[in-house]
Amino acid sequence: MNAKMEQKLQTLDDICMKYENSIPVQVVADYVGCTPAALRNSMLAQTCPFGYAWRTGARAGFCIPTIRFYNWIIGK
């Protein structure tokens, strides 16, 4: 494994240790290289494989469970 891949996996481990239950949208967006808005739209459209969203009136909530995100990244 090259140094860039090792660093990326170390960053993933650091994120998972810091956010044990769920990871903020901004953190995941930065990690995967997209905008937070794009990630939120994916969750609202139910096309995000690791996170989900819900609506309460005009507002929306977003959740990215740590274990689902980790497993999606490493391919489990």
Side-chain angles (χ1 to χ4, degrees):
M1 185 180 309
N2 67 37
K4 283 188 177 187
M5 289 300 297
E6 287 179 14
Q7 178 58 43
K8 192 79 169 172
L9 287 175
Q10 183 59 54
T11 301
L12 177 63
D13 286 343
D14 293 344
I15 290 169
C16 292
M17 293 295 288
K18 184 173 182 178
Y19 304 102
E20 292 180 5
N21 296 316
S22 63
I23 308 170
V25 170
Q26 179 69 54
V27 173
V28 171
D30 290 344
Y31 185 82
V32 299
C34 70
T35 66
L39 185 53
R40 286 185 186 99
N41 286 336
S42 175
M43 287 190 281
L44 284 169
Q46 299 179 354
T47 59
C48 181
F50 51 78
Y52 59 93
W54 61 92
R55 287 208 175 269
T56 54
R59 301 188 62 129
F62 304 90
C63 184
I64 302 170
T66 301
I67 194 69
R68 283 181 64 183
F69 180 68
Y70 180 84
N71 285 337
W72 183 77
I73 290 292
I74 64 168
K76 284 192 175 181

